Amino acid sequence: MERAVPYTVPLGQREVFQALQRLHMTIFSQSVSPCGKFLASGNNYGQIAIFSLSAALSSEAKEESKKPIVTFQAHDGPVYSMVSTDRHLFSAGDGEVKAWLWVEILKKGCKELWRRQPPYRTSLEVPEINALLLVPKENSLILAGGDCQLHTMDLETGTFTALRGHTDYIHCLALRERNPEVLSGGEDGAVRLWDLRMAKEVQTIEVYKHEECSRPHNGRWIGCLATDSDWMVCGGGPALTLWHLRSSTPTTIFPMWAPQKHVTFYQDLILSAGQGPCVNQWQLSGELKAQVPGSSPGLLSLSLNQQPAAPECKVLTAAGSSCRVDVFTNLGYRAFSLSF
């Protein structure tokens, strides 16, 4: 009997396949390394690419400096969310979260440290995990997504606690560090505030029920939120809106027609992105200060690198429906793009 010869994809076909992959790529998530010099980006194919920000920002940078220093297969499906600690990179996909050591990743030894799956209602349920959030004071990691629950994972013991209240998919999380409390938003149109120590919901804002925020043609879903002390900004189907949390009052409606997918506070500004190629810069009063175009037709993720260990790498990066990560060395223009 003849021995089977392994099939090798011809070089030309492989290049065509890789070009098609890049053409249809979406980058869902980003996370900066603890040293501030590297950026991890996760795509719809389950890959994580590591870029050297310090090399790309160098005065001697070449085109090769804007390519990944390493790319590895992290999940079978999309990498929807990532966060970093001073040692670990956590990544989430369909149903599970994985941990990687940054020191090993940078040595190109991309072997997972562990993986965990929250206790779902049935063994057949494999919901996506749309959002990860670190709670340093509690040494915990919060996972949320398709099963409509928040799962608080104790990073020391690996045990999970479930927080129930949402009636549909959860898209986004934000932390109020002083309390500690967590905000969550999702398809049910509600932003819910959770007291982590009491493990219960303490406030609910149904954004779509406020006439000044409601946009029925876009739906009620909440796709992004951020918090700064007693203030919250959120958007999605309803208009991007600044809220005073204590009084549950909308104070500023931002005049942005397109649904927003990511929002963050930055100094005295609010940065947002979503449908369309631009990073939007808002005054807290609601005035649009600037719209800075990027290279992707739509944006899903913004990342501010503010690691004090690498002030030379202090940049804003934006990614979404393309294989590129746009780098803004200041908020006024796109300096260049990294590419898978």
Side-chain angles (χ1 to χ4, degrees):
M1 182 182 292
E2 292 185 9
R3 182 181 297 177
V5 178
Y7 176 72
T8 303
V9 179
L11 183 60
Q13 288 185 26
R14 194 181 316 148
E15 288 174 344
V16 169
F17 175 73
Q18 289 172 346
L20 286 171
Q21 266 202 330
R22 288 193 293 272
L23 182 65
H24 297 285
M25 189 176 292
T26 298
I27 299 173
F28 285 106
S29 53
Q30 303 179 72
S31 185
V32 176
S33 67
C35 68
K37 296 182 178 181
F38 300 92
L39 177 72
S41 298
N43 69 17
N44 55 321
Y45 301 117
Q47 300 167 331
I48 294 176
I50 308 297
F51 298 95
S52 172
L53 291 174
S54 55
L57 290 163
S58 165
S59 59
E60 299 176 359
K62 301 174 182 176
E63 278 307 304
E64 197 61 29
S65 308
K66 298 165 189 173
K67 297 289 185 183
I69 60 169
V70 61
T71 303
F72 59 97
Q73 192 71 37
H75 295 266
D76 293 333
V79 184
Y80 291 115
S81 185
M82 293 190 294
V83 291
S84 290
T85 67
D86 56 357
R87 295 181 63 231
H88 299 104
L89 172 68
F90 298 117
S91 63
D94 287 331
E96 64 183 5
V97 60
K98 294 184 180 183
W100 317 81
L101 282 171
W102 267 108
V103 67
E104 294 300 323
I105 292 173
L106 297 178
K107 292 177 184 174
K108 304 185 181 180
C110 306
K111 184 177 180 182
E112 70 186 62
L113 187 63
W114 51 254
R115 66 175 70 189
R116 298 283 187 277
Q117 186 176 81
Y120 296 121
R121 293 186 182 99
T122 72
S123 59
L124 298 176
E125 191 176 29
V126 188
E128 70 269 25
I129 298 170
N130 294 322
L132 293 176
L133 181 69
L134 282 167
V135 187
K137 285 184 180 178
E138 304 292 303
N139 193 31
S140 63
L141 178 68
I142 299 180
L143 299 67
D147 71 338
C148 316
Q149 302 178 73
L150 281 74
H151 298 275
T152 302
M153 177 185 167
D154 186 308
L155 288 172
E156 189 172 331
T157 65
T159 57
F160 286 95
T161 302
L163 301 173
R164 299 181 179 92
H166 282 281
T167 58
D168 211 332
Y169 283 32
I170 300 168
H171 289 300
C172 47
L173 299 169
L175 178 66
R176 296 181 80 195
E177 291 189 54
R178 286 187 304 179
N179 299 75
E181 294 173 334
V182 168
L183 291 155
S184 58
E187 284 287 322
D188 59 7
V191 173
R192 302 181 190 273
L193 180 64
W194 308 85
D195 186 309
L196 293 180
R197 290 176 181 168
M198 297 170 64
K200 72 173 189 178
E201 183 181 342
V202 293
Q203 186 179 357
T204 304
I205 299 174
E206 293 180 297
V207 178
Y208 66 97
K209 289 186 177 179
H210 292 255
E211 186 177 352
E212 60 269 53
C213 308
S214 177
R215 298 189 299 186
H217 58 284
N218 283 338
R220 60 172 64 175
W221 56 279
I222 301 297
C224 62
L225 59 84
T227 182
D228 184 0
S229 187
D230 288 331
W231 298 92
M232 171 191 76
V233 61
C234 68
L240 189 70
T241 307
L242 181 67
W243 292 75
H244 184 249
L245 282 173
R246 286 190 183 180
S247 60
S248 298
T249 305
T251 61
T252 306
I253 312 295
F254 298 96
M256 170 56 63
W257 185 255
Q260 299 297 278
K261 301 292 184 67
H262 196 116
V263 67
T264 188
F265 287 92
Y266 177 65
Q267 297 178 352
D268 58 348
L269 297 173
I270 288 172
L271 307 180
S272 76
Q275 288 186 8
C278 293
V279 176
N280 307 298
Q281 302 173 26
W282 303 96
Q283 306 279 9
L284 297 180
S285 62
E287 179 186 347
L288 182 61
K289 182 180 179 183
Q291 283 187 304
V292 185
S295 63
S296 298
L299 295 173
L300 299 171
S301 170
L302 299 177
S303 177
L304 281 163
N305 182 5
Q306 302 187 81
Q307 291 285 5
E312 73 280 7
C313 296
K314 184 177 179 180
V315 294
L316 168 71
T317 53
S321 50
S322 80
C323 63
R324 295 176 294 279
V325 179
D326 293 332
V327 179
F328 302 80
T329 49
N330 66 46
L331 295 184
Y333 68 97
R334 176 178 67 91
F336 58 87
S337 297
L338 307 169
S339 182
F340 262 85

